[in-house]
């Protein structure tokens, strides 16, 4: 399916009007609008070209959440003082399955950020081809500098409200920034107390309490499998010897680094909220294992790595995009690659950009990369491995059975391969190039749209 490279004036006007309409209904939500505009550019002209979709006004419906829950979370700190935070759960659509998406605990969390993440999740979850709806949640709670006991009390207080809105067939949260398997353990412990045994209502659990093997690694590993597919398809060889710069030093970044290293790539950088490290020799297994251990302690800066390894340099308050590379993997947070960063990366030889984080690249930077012939894999395709294995965790919980690491890894590789295939199918341009962003948007949309149209037919 070849996609038109340029839009007619009528199409451009229709997109602008659509985005304006969304802006009127959702003012003051820049991240949400950014995510909608990025999807609308590809999907709205497609919707207008399919009579059933146009008539059903699919995209208008998908930009309005089924429901949004905003709640107070009251907890006590170690000094006995009452603290108050704001919790969110955005249930976007359950057309394909229970609402599904992670929980983010970070001081920057607000409604716009949770809505953008929930919106992205629609297309990502659809691309996995698993029965997963879309949602996202979190709180403006900052885990940094908090004791374990404070984190536990916060998670318990958060679940006191959240449990009213989730369930294995209703809404199944997981982790995201600031929510790892430890926090999921506290959240699930509270759910168990409130409602009894229901492992299928949360994913990202550790295997001892019903989690899936390989869930921890899934997003990072899946990202690398996706990059391998891209390289293979474009005749660019394998990862062996390729220079990779990575941002982030959390779940996604560290497991992406681990898998890329296993494939023979050279990992030159990692970053966190304090700055980035650059290793001219490339990180090896020992250094990476040390960093994994270091970063498992909350609030520790990557700067500490340099006290042990003298060849590694630390750049305070900076991002790693000035380092020459073949492949860039942004794995920290949204909007971390600006147009200036994109120029730097292209000048330094970057040929592939694959998003481990959600929306880490600003729209002008994506356009610039594409103009320069850099292959850009959007997060909704490239980081879908995490939610895919969460889907497999739900399957295992429902079967009361577990699959081996090898089984899960096989499924993960197959799912990433299928996602890549869909991007190719829907992202092939008239000149033969592949626009992965467009491919992922349209493929993700198409499955949801088909389901919505069919169900409306059933409902008459
Ligand atoms: P983690 O909390 O494990 O790690 C996040 C990393 O990014 C940390 O190193 C953190 O630094 C850094 N970081 C966070 N915010 C900022 C910021 N504003 N500026 C600079 N650095 C920052 O999160 P994950 O690895 O789970 O998530 C990373 C990204 O991947 C997010 O966009 C998330 O939505 C996305 N994602 C995650 C999935 C998952 O399965 N976990 C699935 C799909 C997408 P520090 O260590 O200093 O806090």
């Amino acid at each position: 399916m070849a996609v038109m490279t340029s839009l007619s004036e009528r199409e451009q006007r229709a997109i602008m009007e659509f985005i304006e309409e969304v802006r009127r209904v959702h003012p003051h939500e820049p991240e949400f609008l950014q995510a909608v505009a990025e999807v609308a550019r590809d999907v709205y002209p497609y919707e207008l070209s399919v009579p059933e979709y146009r008539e059903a006004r699919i995209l208008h419906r998908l930009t309005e959440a089924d429901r949004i829950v905003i709640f107070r979370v009251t907890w006590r700190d170690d000094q006995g003082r009452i603290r108050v935070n704001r919790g969110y759960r955005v249930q976007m659509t359950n057309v394909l399955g229970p609402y599904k998406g992670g929980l983010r605990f970070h001081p920057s969390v607000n409604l716009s950020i949770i809505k953008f993440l929930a919106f992205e999740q629609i297309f990502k979850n659809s691309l996995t081809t698993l029965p997963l709806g879309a949602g996202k949640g979190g709180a403006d709670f900052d885990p940094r500098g908090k004791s374990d006991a404070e984190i536990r009390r916060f998670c318990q207080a958060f679940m006191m409200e959240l449990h009213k809105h989730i369930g294995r067939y209703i809404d199944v949260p997981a982790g995201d920034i600031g929510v790892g398997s430890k926090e999921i353990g506290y959240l699930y412990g509270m759910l168990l107390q409130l409602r009894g045994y229901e492992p299928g209502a949360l994913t990202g659990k550790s295997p001892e309490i019903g989690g899936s093997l390989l869930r921890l690694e899934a997003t990072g590993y899946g990202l690398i499998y996706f990059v391998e597919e891209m390289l293979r398809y474009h005749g660019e060889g394998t990862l062996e010897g390729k220079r990779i710069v990575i941002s982030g030093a959390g779940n996604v970044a560290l497991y992406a680094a681990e898998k890329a290293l296993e494939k023979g790539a050279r990992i030159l950088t990692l970053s966190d909220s304090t700055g980035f490290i650059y290793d001219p020799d490339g990180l090896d297994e020992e250094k990476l294992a040390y960093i994994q251990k270091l970063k498992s302690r909350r609030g520790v800066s990557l700067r500490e790595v340099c006290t042990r390894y003298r060849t590694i340099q630390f750049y305070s308050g900076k991002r790693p995009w000035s380092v020459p590379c073949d492949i860039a993997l942004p794995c920290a947070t949204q909007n971390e690659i600006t147009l200036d960063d994109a120029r730097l990366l292209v000048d330094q030889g970057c040929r592939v950009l694959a998003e481990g984080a959600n929306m880490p690249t600003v729209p002008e930077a994506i356009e610039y990369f594409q103009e320069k012939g850099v292959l850009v894999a959007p997060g909704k395709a490239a980081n879908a491995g995490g939610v895919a294995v969460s889907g497999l965790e739900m399957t295992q919980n429902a079967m009361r059975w577990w699959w081996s690491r090898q089984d899960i890894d096989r499924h993960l590789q197959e799912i990433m391969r299928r996602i890549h295939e869909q991007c190719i199918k829907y992202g092939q341009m008239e000149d033969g190039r592949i626009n992965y962003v467009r491919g992922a948007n349209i493929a993700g949309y198409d499955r949801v749209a088909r389901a919505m149209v069919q169900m409306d037919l059933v409902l008459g």
Side-chain angles (χ1 to χ4, degrees):
M1 174 184 294
V3 182
M4 299 287 284
T5 13
S6 53
L7 296 171
S8 69
E9 247 176 60
R10 224 181 86 237
E11 285 171 324
Q12 286 183 21
R13 214 176 29 249
I15 296 169
M16 293 306 290
E17 280 168 14
F18 172 77
I19 294 171
E20 261 324 297
E21 207 177 321
V22 178
R23 193 190 309 277
R24 260 199 318 276
V25 183
H26 310 261
H28 320 301
E29 293 180 356
E31 292 85 0
F32 177 61
L33 278 171
Q34 183 182 336
V36 171
E38 190 253 296
V39 167
R41 252 174 235 124
D42 297 324
V43 164
Y44 201 48
Y46 177 68
E47 174 168 307
L48 296 179
S49 73
V50 183
E52 297 116 290
Y53 297 170
R54 188 177 60 222
E55 206 219 318
R57 306 191 82 205
I58 304 286
L59 206 54
H60 281 83
R61 288 154 72 172
L62 292 179
T63 51
E64 197 62 69
D66 285 357
R67 73 194 56 77
I68 296 177
V69 189
I70 301 182
F71 50 99
R72 187 187 62 237
V73 186
T74 314
W75 56 285
R76 229 178 247 285
D77 67 19
D78 286 346
Q79 284 68 49
R81 274 196 315 257
I82 293 289
R83 299 283 201 105
V84 180
N85 284 96
R86 183 173 288 183
Y88 301 85
R89 188 69 187 166
V90 173
Q91 297 180 334
M92 213 69 193
T93 170
N94 61 355
V95 165
L96 296 180
Y99 304 106
K100 183 86 197 91
L103 298 171
R104 176 176 291 192
F105 291 169
H106 193 272
S108 66
V109 161
N110 57 35
L111 186 57
S112 172
I113 288 184
I114 299 298
K115 276 173 68 176
F116 117 65
L117 290 163
F119 183 72
E120 291 276 299
Q121 207 80 39
I122 300 173
F123 306 90
K124 180 188 312 198
N125 293 5
S126 164
L127 281 168
T128 65
T129 64
L130 300 176
L132 302 170
K136 199 84 188 188
D140 59 355
F141 169 77
D142 188 357
R144 284 170 70 96
K146 303 288 189 302
S147 71
D148 240 14
E150 287 176 323
I151 305 256
R152 192 184 64 238
R153 285 197 293 274
F154 178 81
C155 288
Q156 290 171 341
F158 186 83
M159 187 51 85
M160 286 283 280
E161 177 61 32
L162 186 71
H163 87 97
K164 297 172 193 161
H165 311 285
I166 64 173
R168 66 186 175 138
Y169 290 129
I170 300 169
D171 183 352
V172 185
D176 190 74
I177 292 180
V179 180
S181 56
K182 179 183 260 184
E183 290 74 19
I184 292 288
Y186 294 147
L187 290 163
Y188 182 56
M190 193 63 189
L191 184 68
L192 192 74
Q193 300 234 340
L194 291 164
R195 291 234 300 253
Y197 181 74
E198 195 181 339
L202 268 181
T203 63
K205 304 178 295 291
S206 65
E208 293 80 7
I209 56 172
S212 175
L213 294 172
L214 222 75
R215 172 62 187 90
L216 207 57
E217 298 89 337
T219 309
Y221 281 17
L223 175 65
I224 299 303
Y225 295 149
F226 194 87
V227 171
E228 284 191 307
E229 290 292 329
M230 293 171 89
L231 295 175
R232 194 173 304 130
Y233 184 84
H234 287 89
E236 301 251 358
T238 66
L239 281 167
E240 183 81 41
K242 297 267 191 317
R243 299 163 304 162
I244 304 190
V245 294
I246 301 182
S247 68
N251 173 276
V252 181
L254 293 175
Y255 287 109
E258 184 177 289
K259 183 52 79 178
L261 199 58
E262 190 187 305
K263 302 276 180 181
R266 281 178 60 205
I267 310 300
L268 300 177
T269 69
L270 290 169
S271 76
D272 65 12
S273 48
T274 67
F276 80 92
I277 52 166
Y278 169 46
D279 185 349
D281 301 334
L283 298 171
D284 58 18
E285 276 89 4
E286 188 210 301
K287 290 176 194 163
L288 191 59
Y290 175 74
I291 294 168
Q292 279 171 339
K293 198 154 163 232
L294 190 79
K295 287 303 290 183
S296 68
R297 287 177 14 228
R298 223 183 314 274
V300 178
S301 161
L302 274 175
R303 181 194 299 271
E304 297 226 355
V305 179
C306 306
T307 53
R308 174 141 172 177
Y309 298 102
R310 300 283 170 197
T311 55
I312 298 183
Q313 297 143 32
F314 179 73
Y315 294 86
S316 182
K318 297 242 170 357
R319 290 185 292 233
W321 313 126
S322 56
V323 173
C325 65
D326 303 302
I327 298 171
L329 304 178
C331 298
T333 192
Q334 64 272 4
N335 293 332
E336 52 168 323
I337 297 187
T338 63
L339 179 56
D340 285 344
D341 297 325
R343 291 200 175 107
L344 265 177
L345 280 164
V346 171
D347 286 349
Q348 306 279 14
C350 178
R351 304 276 311 123
V352 175
L353 173 98
E355 297 182 336
N358 286 313
M359 208 169 73
T361 320
V362 304
E364 304 77 45
I366 292 186
E367 267 173 42
Y368 183 77
F369 281 126
Q370 288 173 333
E371 261 170 48
K372 297 290 172 190
V374 173
L375 300 175
V376 178
K380 50 176 86 70
N383 72 30
V387 75
V389 173
S390 272
L392 301 180
E393 183 172 334
M394 289 159 71
T395 309
Q396 293 168 88
N397 290 154
M399 295 192 306
R400 299 184 181 212
W401 183 242
W402 58 274
W403 290 323
S404 68
R405 263 179 88 86
Q406 290 81 353
D407 284 341
I408 305 280
D409 201 27
R410 206 165 24 79
H411 284 305
L412 175 61
Q413 289 183 46
E414 174 57 22
I415 290 169
M416 298 314 293
R417 197 191 56 71
R418 283 206 304 254
I419 295 175
H420 184 266
E421 204 172 81
Q422 294 175 74
C423 290
I424 300 294
K425 179 175 167 201
Y426 287 87
Q428 184 125 38
M429 310 296 281
E430 283 170 323
D431 60 7
R433 281 181 306 135
I434 304 299
N435 182 333
Y436 282 92
V437 176
R438 184 169 292 186
N441 283 338
I442 298 183
Y445 165 89
D446 203 62
R447 182 170 169 232
V448 182
R450 267 183 280 136
M452 285 171 80
V453 167
Q454 281 178 34
M455 281 192 269
D456 274 357
L457 286 177
V458 171
L459 294 174

